[in-house]
């Protein structure tokens, strides 16, 4: 997947996750904070770049 399309997809998923947070009454950046925590945890666990990318996508999709 080209880098520019990954950024577009991340922007779309991040926006949808933030709107979903607001819709359910959570803080507007709750899903993004959880995504950052999951990414840091994956990196500290020694996951490779493809696995970390999957963690980012799954953590954002989990909130949508």
């Amino acid at each position: 997947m080209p880098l520019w399309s990954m950024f577009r997809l991340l922007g779309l998923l991040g926006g949808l996750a933030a709107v979903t947070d607001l819709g359910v009454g959570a803080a507007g950046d709750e899903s993004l904070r959880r995504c950052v925590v999951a990414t840091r945890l994956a990196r500290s666990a020694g996951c490779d770049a493809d696995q970390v990318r999957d963690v980012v996508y799954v953590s954002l999709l989990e909130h949508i």
Side-chain angles (χ1 to χ4, degrees), residues 4-29:
W4 62 269
S5 64
M6 284 178 30
F7 284 124
R8 290 183 70 188
L9 180 59
L10 282 174
L12 175 67
L13 292 177
L16 287 173
V19 168
T20 302
D21 285 343
L22 292 173
V24 297
D29 61 346

Side-chain angles (χ1 to χ4, degrees), residues 38-52 55:
T39 303
R40 288 181 181 170
L41 183 61
R43 286 183 179 156
S44 67
C47 296
D48 64 10
D50 290 334
Q51 291 171 328
V52 171
V55 166

